[in-house]
PDB file of all heavy atoms in Angstrom:
ATOM      1  N   TYR A1432    -275.637 -23.978  -6.017  1.00 92.00           N
ATOM      2  CA  TYR A1432    -275.372 -25.112  -6.898  1.00 92.00           C
ATOM      3  C   TYR A1432    -274.238 -25.932  -6.343  1.00 92.00           C
ATOM      4  O   TYR A1432    -273.285 -25.390  -5.796  1.00 92.00           O
ATOM      5  CB  TYR A1432    -275.054 -24.613  -8.310  1.00 92.00           C
ATOM      6  CG  TYR A1432    -276.186 -23.817  -8.907  1.00 92.00           C
ATOM      7  CD1 TYR A1432    -276.146 -22.442  -8.944  1.00 92.00           C
ATOM      8  CD2 TYR A1432    -277.329 -24.458  -9.380  1.00 92.00           C
ATOM      9  CE1 TYR A1432    -277.212 -21.698  -9.466  1.00 92.00           C
ATOM     10  CE2 TYR A1432    -278.386 -23.735  -9.894  1.00 92.00           C
ATOM     11  CZ  TYR A1432    -278.324 -22.343  -9.939  1.00 92.00           C
ATOM     12  OH  TYR A1432    -279.379 -21.629 -10.441  1.00 92.00           O
ATOM     13  N   LEU A1433    -274.340 -27.235  -6.484  1.00 93.00           N
ATOM     14  CA  LEU A1433    -273.328 -28.137  -5.957  1.00 93.00           C
ATOM     15  C   LEU A1433    -272.305 -28.476  -7.020  1.00 93.00           C
ATOM     16  O   LEU A1433    -272.641 -28.987  -8.088  1.00 93.00           O
ATOM     17  CB  LEU A1433    -273.992 -29.454  -5.510  1.00 93.00           C
ATOM     18  CG  LEU A1433    -274.454 -29.548  -4.073  1.00 93.00           C
ATOM     19  CD1 LEU A1433    -275.002 -30.948  -3.818  1.00 93.00           C
ATOM     20  CD2 LEU A1433    -273.333 -29.242  -3.094  1.00 93.00           C
ATOM     21  N   LEU A1434    -271.044 -28.192  -6.707  1.00 95.00           N
ATOM     22  CA  LEU A1434    -269.930 -28.614  -7.559  1.00 95.00           C
ATOM     23  C   LEU A1434    -269.385 -29.935  -7.052  1.00 95.00           C
ATOM     24  O   LEU A1434    -269.188 -30.110  -5.851  1.00 95.00           O
ATOM     25  CB  LEU A1434    -268.784 -27.609  -7.439  1.00 95.00           C
ATOM     26  CG  LEU A1434    -268.836 -26.332  -8.216  1.00 95.00           C
ATOM     27  CD1 LEU A1434    -267.589 -25.529  -7.870  1.00 95.00           C
ATOM     28  CD2 LEU A1434    -268.865 -26.611  -9.700  1.00 95.00           C
ATOM     29  N   ARG A1435    -269.082 -30.821  -7.991  1.00 93.00           N
ATOM     30  CA  ARG A1435    -268.429 -32.080  -7.640  1.00 93.00           C
ATOM     31  C   ARG A1435    -267.041 -32.084  -8.275  1.00 93.00           C
ATOM     32  O   ARG A1435    -266.938 -31.959  -9.496  1.00 93.00           O
ATOM     33  CB  ARG A1435    -269.231 -33.251  -8.194  1.00 93.00           C
ATOM     34  CG  ARG A1435    -270.684 -33.227  -7.779  1.00 93.00           C
ATOM     35  CD  ARG A1435    -271.536 -34.075  -8.746  1.00 93.00           C
ATOM     36  NE  ARG A1435    -272.950 -33.845  -8.482  1.00 93.00           N
ATOM     37  CZ  ARG A1435    -273.913 -33.975  -9.380  1.00 93.00           C
ATOM     38  NH1 ARG A1435    -273.645 -34.341 -10.613  1.00 93.00           N
ATOM     39  NH2 ARG A1435    -275.167 -33.723  -9.053  1.00 93.00           N
ATOM     40  N   SER A1474    -261.487 -38.769 -23.217  1.00 97.00           N
ATOM     41  CA  SER A1474    -261.287 -39.306 -24.575  1.00 97.00           C
ATOM     42  C   SER A1474    -261.199 -38.193 -25.605  1.00 97.00           C
ATOM     43  O   SER A1474    -262.072 -37.316 -25.661  1.00 97.00           O
ATOM     44  CB  SER A1474    -262.453 -40.245 -24.882  1.00 97.00           C
ATOM     45  OG  SER A1474    -262.464 -40.608 -26.230  1.00 97.00           O
ATOM     46  N   GLY A1510    -261.948  -3.809  -7.051  1.00 97.00           N
ATOM     47  CA  GLY A1510    -262.955  -4.855  -6.884  1.00 97.00           C
ATOM     48  C   GLY A1510    -262.387  -6.212  -7.258  1.00 97.00           C
ATOM     49  O   GLY A1510    -261.587  -6.333  -8.178  1.00 97.00           O
ATOM     50  N   ARG A1515    -257.413 -11.275 -10.519  1.00 93.00           N
ATOM     51  CA  ARG A1515    -257.401 -12.732 -10.600  1.00 93.00           C
ATOM     52  C   ARG A1515    -257.097 -13.348  -9.221  1.00 93.00           C
ATOM     53  O   ARG A1515    -256.649 -14.503  -9.141  1.00 93.00           O
ATOM     54  CB  ARG A1515    -256.356 -13.173 -11.627  1.00 93.00           C
ATOM     55  CG  ARG A1515    -256.707 -12.774 -13.057  1.00 93.00           C
ATOM     56  CD  ARG A1515    -257.836 -13.593 -13.659  1.00 93.00           C
ATOM     57  NE  ARG A1515    -257.381 -14.856 -14.119  1.00 93.00           N
ATOM     58  CZ  ARG A1515    -257.210 -15.205 -15.403  1.00 93.00           C
ATOM     59  NH1 ARG A1515    -257.514 -14.350 -16.369  1.00 93.00           N
ATOM     60  NH2 ARG A1515    -256.765 -16.387 -15.734  1.00 93.00           N
ATOM     61  N   ARG A1519    -262.149 -14.980  -3.609  1.00 96.00           N
ATOM     62  CA  ARG A1519    -263.265 -14.396  -4.348  1.00 96.00           C
ATOM     63  C   ARG A1519    -264.539 -15.186  -3.999  1.00 96.00           C
ATOM     64  O   ARG A1519    -264.446 -16.269  -3.419  1.00 96.00           O
ATOM     65  CB  ARG A1519    -262.986 -14.429  -5.844  1.00 96.00           C
ATOM     66  CG  ARG A1519    -262.579 -15.769  -6.405  1.00 96.00           C
ATOM     67  CD  ARG A1519    -261.771 -15.683  -7.703  1.00 96.00           C
ATOM     68  NE  ARG A1519    -262.429 -14.868  -8.700  1.00 96.00           N
ATOM     69  CZ  ARG A1519    -261.901 -13.746  -9.230  1.00 96.00           C
ATOM     70  NH1 ARG A1519    -260.700 -13.351  -8.912  1.00 96.00           N
ATOM     71  NH2 ARG A1519    -262.589 -13.039 -10.116  1.00 96.00           N
ATOM     72  N   ASN A1521    -266.784 -17.083  -5.474  1.00 97.00           N
ATOM     73  CA  ASN A1521    -266.674 -18.485  -5.893  1.00 97.00           C
ATOM     74  C   ASN A1521    -265.234 -18.675  -6.354  1.00 97.00           C
ATOM     75  O   ASN A1521    -264.871 -18.257  -7.456  1.00 97.00           O
ATOM     76  CB  ASN A1521    -267.664 -18.796  -7.021  1.00 97.00           C
ATOM     77  CG  ASN A1521    -269.111 -18.721  -6.567  1.00 97.00           C
ATOM     78  OD1 ASN A1521    -269.510 -19.413  -5.640  1.00 97.00           O
ATOM     79  ND2 ASN A1521    -269.884 -17.870  -7.204  1.00 97.00           N
ATOM     80  N   ILE A1523    -262.916 -19.960  -8.074  1.00 97.00           N
ATOM     81  CA  ILE A1523    -262.604 -20.791  -9.236  1.00 97.00           C
ATOM     82  C   ILE A1523    -261.311 -20.278  -9.872  1.00 97.00           C
ATOM     83  O   ILE A1523    -261.178 -19.093 -10.146  1.00 97.00           O
ATOM     84  CB  ILE A1523    -263.762 -20.765 -10.253  1.00 97.00           C
ATOM     85  CG1 ILE A1523    -265.007 -21.388  -9.637  1.00 97.00           C
ATOM     86  CG2 ILE A1523    -263.353 -21.479 -11.539  1.00 97.00           C
ATOM     87  CD1 ILE A1523    -266.256 -21.217 -10.471  1.00 97.00           C
ATOM     88  N   ILE A1554    -262.556 -29.262 -17.334  1.00 98.00           N
ATOM     89  CA  ILE A1554    -261.477 -29.233 -18.320  1.00 98.00           C
ATOM     90  C   ILE A1554    -262.131 -28.948 -19.662  1.00 98.00           C
ATOM     91  O   ILE A1554    -263.118 -29.615 -20.014  1.00 98.00           O
ATOM     92  CB  ILE A1554    -260.739 -30.599 -18.383  1.00 98.00           C
ATOM     93  CG1 ILE A1554    -260.135 -30.950 -17.020  1.00 98.00           C
ATOM     94  CG2 ILE A1554    -259.662 -30.574 -19.461  1.00 98.00           C
ATOM     95  CD1 ILE A1554    -259.644 -32.413 -16.927  1.00 98.00           C
ATOM     96  N   LYS A1555    -261.610 -27.952 -20.390  1.00 97.00           N
ATOM     97  CA  LYS A1555    -262.200 -27.563 -21.674  1.00 97.00           C
ATOM     98  C   LYS A1555    -261.086 -27.376 -22.693  1.00 97.00           C
ATOM     99  O   LYS A1555    -260.010 -26.901 -22.349  1.00 97.00           O
ATOM    100  CB  LYS A1555    -262.911 -26.208 -21.554  1.00 97.00           C
ATOM    101  CG  LYS A1555    -264.062 -26.152 -20.574  1.00 97.00           C
ATOM    102  CD  LYS A1555    -264.633 -24.718 -20.576  1.00 97.00           C
ATOM    103  CE  LYS A1555    -265.649 -24.512 -19.461  1.00 97.00           C
ATOM    104  NZ  LYS A1555    -266.879 -25.267 -19.677  1.00 97.00           N
ATOM    105  N   PRO A1556    -261.356 -27.649 -23.961  1.00 96.00           N
ATOM    106  CA  PRO A1556    -260.372 -27.297 -24.986  1.00 96.00           C
ATOM    107  C   PRO A1556    -260.356 -25.792 -25.212  1.00 96.00           C
ATOM    108  O   PRO A1556    -261.383 -25.131 -25.091  1.00 96.00           O
ATOM    109  CB  PRO A1556    -260.895 -28.029 -26.227  1.00 96.00           C
ATOM    110  CG  PRO A1556    -262.379 -28.108 -26.028  1.00 96.00           C
ATOM    111  CD  PRO A1556    -262.583 -28.253 -24.525  1.00 96.00           C
ATOM    112  N   ASP A1562    -259.756 -18.172 -28.837  1.00 45.00           N
ATOM    113  CA  ASP A1562    -258.517 -18.164 -28.106  1.00 45.00           C
ATOM    114  C   ASP A1562    -258.700 -17.878 -26.621  1.00 45.00           C
ATOM    115  O   ASP A1562    -257.943 -17.154 -26.020  1.00 45.00           O
ATOM    116  CB  ASP A1562    -257.545 -17.150 -28.696  1.00 45.00           C
ATOM    117  CG  ASP A1562    -256.123 -17.401 -28.210  1.00 45.00           C
ATOM    118  OD1 ASP A1562    -255.791 -18.569 -27.940  1.00 45.00           O
ATOM    119  OD2 ASP A1562    -255.374 -16.443 -28.075  1.00 45.00           O
TER     120      ASP A1562
ATOM    121  N   TYR B 355    -268.846 -28.757  -3.216  1.00 92.00           N
ATOM    122  CA  TYR B 355    -268.662 -27.342  -2.917  1.00 92.00           C
ATOM    123  C   TYR B 355    -269.881 -26.574  -3.373  1.00 92.00           C
ATOM    124  O   TYR B 355    -270.461 -26.900  -4.402  1.00 92.00           O
ATOM    125  CB  TYR B 355    -267.398 -26.816  -3.604  1.00 92.00           C
ATOM    126  CG  TYR B 355    -266.154 -27.543  -3.149  1.00 92.00           C
ATOM    127  CD1 TYR B 355    -265.580 -28.525  -3.950  1.00 92.00           C
ATOM    128  CD2 TYR B 355    -265.586 -27.282  -1.907  1.00 92.00           C
ATOM    129  CE1 TYR B 355    -264.454 -29.222  -3.513  1.00 92.00           C
ATOM    130  CE2 TYR B 355    -264.479 -27.972  -1.465  1.00 92.00           C
ATOM    131  CZ  TYR B 355    -263.907 -28.936  -2.275  1.00 92.00           C
ATOM    132  OH  TYR B 355    -262.809 -29.633  -1.852  1.00 92.00           O
ATOM    133  N   LEU B 357    -271.692 -23.404  -4.842  1.00 95.00           N
ATOM    134  CA  LEU B 357    -271.559 -22.196  -5.644  1.00 95.00           C
ATOM    135  C   LEU B 357    -272.715 -21.251  -5.340  1.00 95.00           C
ATOM    136  O   LEU B 357    -273.865 -21.699  -5.266  1.00 95.00           O
ATOM    137  CB  LEU B 357    -271.668 -22.514  -7.125  1.00 95.00           C
ATOM    138  CG  LEU B 357    -270.477 -23.059  -7.859  1.00 95.00           C
ATOM    139  CD1 LEU B 357    -270.905 -23.348  -9.297  1.00 95.00           C
ATOM    140  CD2 LEU B 357    -269.342 -22.069  -7.840  1.00 95.00           C
ATOM    141  N   ARG B 358    -272.394 -19.974  -5.229  1.00 93.00           N
ATOM    142  CA  ARG B 358    -273.458 -18.978  -5.041  1.00 93.00           C
ATOM    143  C   ARG B 358    -273.460 -18.063  -6.255  1.00 93.00           C
ATOM    144  O   ARG B 358    -272.422 -17.439  -6.544  1.00 93.00           O
ATOM    145  CB  ARG B 358    -273.174 -18.140  -3.790  1.00 93.00           C
ATOM    146  CG  ARG B 358    -272.968 -18.973  -2.564  1.00 93.00           C
ATOM    147  CD  ARG B 358    -272.232 -18.161  -1.489  1.00 93.00           C
ATOM    148  NE  ARG B 358    -271.825 -19.054  -0.419  1.00 93.00           N
ATOM    149  CZ  ARG B 358    -270.739 -18.853   0.362  1.00 93.00           C
ATOM    150  NH1 ARG B 358    -269.977 -17.788   0.200  1.00 93.00           N
ATOM    151  NH2 ARG B 358    -270.437 -19.714   1.313  1.00 93.00           N
ATOM    152  N   SER B 397    -265.754  -2.781  -8.885  1.00 97.00           N
ATOM    153  CA  SER B 397    -264.919  -1.580  -8.912  1.00 97.00           C
ATOM    154  C   SER B 397    -263.629  -1.816  -9.701  1.00 97.00           C
ATOM    155  O   SER B 397    -262.911  -2.775  -9.443  1.00 97.00           O
ATOM    156  CB  SER B 397    -264.600  -1.206  -7.462  1.00 97.00           C
ATOM    157  OG  SER B 397    -263.642  -0.204  -7.399  1.00 97.00           O
ATOM    158  N   ARG B 416    -275.910 -33.210 -16.424  1.00 95.00           N
ATOM    159  CA  ARG B 416    -274.623 -33.366 -15.739  1.00 95.00           C
ATOM    160  C   ARG B 416    -274.096 -34.793 -15.819  1.00 95.00           C
ATOM    161  O   ARG B 416    -273.075 -35.106 -15.196  1.00 95.00           O
ATOM    162  CB  ARG B 416    -274.762 -32.919 -14.293  1.00 95.00           C
ATOM    163  CG  ARG B 416    -275.252 -31.480 -14.185  1.00 95.00           C
ATOM    164  CD  ARG B 416    -275.268 -30.966 -12.785  1.00 95.00           C
ATOM    165  NE  ARG B 416    -273.925 -30.892 -12.206  1.00 95.00           N
ATOM    166  CZ  ARG B 416    -273.642 -30.380 -11.024  1.00 95.00           C
ATOM    167  NH1 ARG B 416    -274.635 -29.876 -10.290  1.00 95.00           N
ATOM    168  NH2 ARG B 416    -272.409 -30.361 -10.550  1.00 95.00           N
ATOM    169  N   GLY B 433    -264.838 -37.472 -25.675  1.00 97.00           N
ATOM    170  CA  GLY B 433    -265.027 -37.199 -24.247  1.00 97.00           C
ATOM    171  C   GLY B 433    -265.471 -35.762 -24.015  1.00 97.00           C
ATOM    172  O   GLY B 433    -265.066 -34.844 -24.733  1.00 97.00           O
ATOM    173  N   ARG B 438    -266.690 -28.253 -25.780  1.00 93.00           N
ATOM    174  CA  ARG B 438    -267.229 -27.118 -25.014  1.00 93.00           C
ATOM    175  C   ARG B 438    -268.726 -27.296 -24.780  1.00 93.00           C
ATOM    176  O   ARG B 438    -269.427 -26.308 -24.514  1.00 93.00           O
ATOM    177  CB  ARG B 438    -266.941 -25.813 -25.757  1.00 93.00           C
ATOM    178  CG  ARG B 438    -265.433 -25.500 -25.844  1.00 93.00           C
ATOM    179  CD  ARG B 438    -264.847 -25.018 -24.534  1.00 93.00           C
ATOM    180  NE  ARG B 438    -265.146 -23.650 -24.255  1.00 93.00           N
ATOM    181  CZ  ARG B 438    -264.284 -22.640 -24.359  1.00 93.00           C
ATOM    182  NH1 ARG B 438    -263.037 -22.861 -24.703  1.00 93.00           N
ATOM    183  NH2 ARG B 438    -264.642 -21.406 -24.090  1.00 93.00           N
ATOM    184  N   ARG B 442    -272.180 -31.181 -19.080  1.00 96.00           N
ATOM    185  CA  ARG B 442    -270.916 -31.662 -18.531  1.00 96.00           C
ATOM    186  C   ARG B 442    -271.066 -31.797 -17.029  1.00 96.00           C
ATOM    187  O   ARG B 442    -272.016 -31.278 -16.444  1.00 96.00           O
ATOM    188  CB  ARG B 442    -269.772 -30.710 -18.904  1.00 96.00           C
ATOM    189  CG  ARG B 442    -270.032 -29.260 -18.613  1.00 96.00           C
ATOM    190  CD  ARG B 442    -269.197 -28.292 -19.490  1.00 96.00           C
ATOM    191  NE  ARG B 442    -267.793 -28.591 -19.484  1.00 96.00           N
ATOM    192  CZ  ARG B 442    -267.085 -28.946 -20.576  1.00 96.00           C
ATOM    193  NH1 ARG B 442    -267.662 -28.942 -21.746  1.00 96.00           N
ATOM    194  NH2 ARG B 442    -265.807 -29.234 -20.497  1.00 96.00           N
ATOM    195  N   ASN B 444    -269.779 -30.505 -14.288  1.00 97.00           N
ATOM    196  CA  ASN B 444    -270.037 -29.206 -13.659  1.00 97.00           C
ATOM    197  C   ASN B 444    -270.264 -28.225 -14.803  1.00 97.00           C
ATOM    198  O   ASN B 444    -269.306 -27.786 -15.453  1.00 97.00           O
ATOM    199  CB  ASN B 444    -268.851 -28.766 -12.786  1.00 97.00           C
ATOM    200  CG  ASN B 444    -268.665 -29.665 -11.579  1.00 97.00           C
ATOM    201  OD1 ASN B 444    -269.570 -29.835 -10.777  1.00 97.00           O
ATOM    202  ND2 ASN B 444    -267.483 -30.268 -11.460  1.00 97.00           N
ATOM    203  N   ILE B 446    -270.205 -25.416 -16.240  1.00 97.00           N
ATOM    204  CA  ILE B 446    -269.696 -24.050 -16.170  1.00 97.00           C
ATOM    205  C   ILE B 446    -269.428 -23.559 -17.596  1.00 97.00           C
ATOM    206  O   ILE B 446    -268.758 -24.237 -18.382  1.00 97.00           O
ATOM    207  CB  ILE B 446    -268.405 -23.995 -15.335  1.00 97.00           C
ATOM    208  CG1 ILE B 446    -268.715 -24.375 -13.885  1.00 97.00           C
ATOM    209  CG2 ILE B 446    -267.777 -22.592 -15.408  1.00 97.00           C
ATOM    210  CD1 ILE B 446    -267.481 -24.559 -13.040  1.00 97.00           C
ATOM    211  N   ILE B 477    -266.401 -13.394 -12.499  1.00 98.00           N
ATOM    212  CA  ILE B 477    -265.966 -12.455 -13.528  1.00 98.00           C
ATOM    213  C   ILE B 477    -264.488 -12.211 -13.274  1.00 98.00           C
ATOM    214  O   ILE B 477    -264.098 -11.927 -12.139  1.00 98.00           O
ATOM    215  CB  ILE B 477    -266.756 -11.114 -13.415  1.00 98.00           C
ATOM    216  CG1 ILE B 477    -268.264 -11.340 -13.562  1.00 98.00           C
ATOM    217  CG2 ILE B 477    -266.236 -10.111 -14.438  1.00 98.00           C
ATOM    218  CD1 ILE B 477    -269.112 -10.139 -13.190  1.00 98.00           C
ATOM    219  N   LYS B 478    -263.678 -12.345 -14.323  1.00 97.00           N
ATOM    220  CA  LYS B 478    -262.223 -12.169 -14.180  1.00 97.00           C
ATOM    221  C   LYS B 478    -261.716 -11.309 -15.325  1.00 97.00           C
ATOM    222  O   LYS B 478    -262.214 -11.402 -16.448  1.00 97.00           O
ATOM    223  CB  LYS B 478    -261.503 -13.526 -14.299  1.00 97.00           C
ATOM    224  CG  LYS B 478    -261.860 -14.568 -13.265  1.00 97.00           C
ATOM    225  CD  LYS B 478    -261.086 -15.855 -13.586  1.00 97.00           C
ATOM    226  CE  LYS B 478    -261.517 -17.026 -12.726  1.00 97.00           C
ATOM    227  NZ  LYS B 478    -261.199 -16.852 -11.297  1.00 97.00           N
ATOM    228  N   PRO B 479    -260.654 -10.527 -15.085  1.00 95.00           N
ATOM    229  CA  PRO B 479    -260.024  -9.832 -16.206  1.00 95.00           C
ATOM    230  C   PRO B 479    -259.218 -10.817 -17.048  1.00 95.00           C
ATOM    231  O   PRO B 479    -258.666 -11.777 -16.540  1.00 95.00           O
ATOM    232  CB  PRO B 479    -259.082  -8.833 -15.517  1.00 95.00           C
ATOM    233  CG  PRO B 479    -258.740  -9.475 -14.204  1.00 95.00           C
ATOM    234  CD  PRO B 479    -259.979 -10.272 -13.793  1.00 95.00           C
ATOM    235  N   ASP B 485    -253.354 -14.242 -22.029  1.00 45.00           N
ATOM    236  CA  ASP B 485    -254.424 -14.138 -23.013  1.00 45.00           C
ATOM    237  C   ASP B 485    -255.448 -15.241 -22.881  1.00 45.00           C
ATOM    238  O   ASP B 485    -255.901 -15.797 -23.866  1.00 45.00           O
ATOM    239  CB  ASP B 485    -253.842 -14.131 -24.425  1.00 45.00           C
ATOM    240  CG  ASP B 485    -254.866 -13.620 -25.435  1.00 45.00           C
ATOM    241  OD1 ASP B 485    -255.711 -12.793 -25.055  1.00 45.00           O
ATOM    242  OD2 ASP B 485    -254.855 -14.084 -26.567  1.00 45.00           O
TER     243      ASP B 485
END
Side-chain angles (χ1 to χ4, degrees):
Chain A
Y1432 300 102
L1433 269 183
L1434 279 178
R1435 306 159 191 153
S1474 169
R1515 293 287 281 254
R1519 52 204 308 119
N1521 293 303
I1523 296 171
I1554 300 168
K1555 299 179 189 292
D1562 196 31
Chain B
Y355 300 102
L357 279 177
R358 306 160 191 151
S397 170
R416 303 186 64 175
R438 295 286 282 255
R442 50 204 309 118
N444 293 303
I446 296 171
I477 301 168
K478 299 178 188 294
D485 197 30

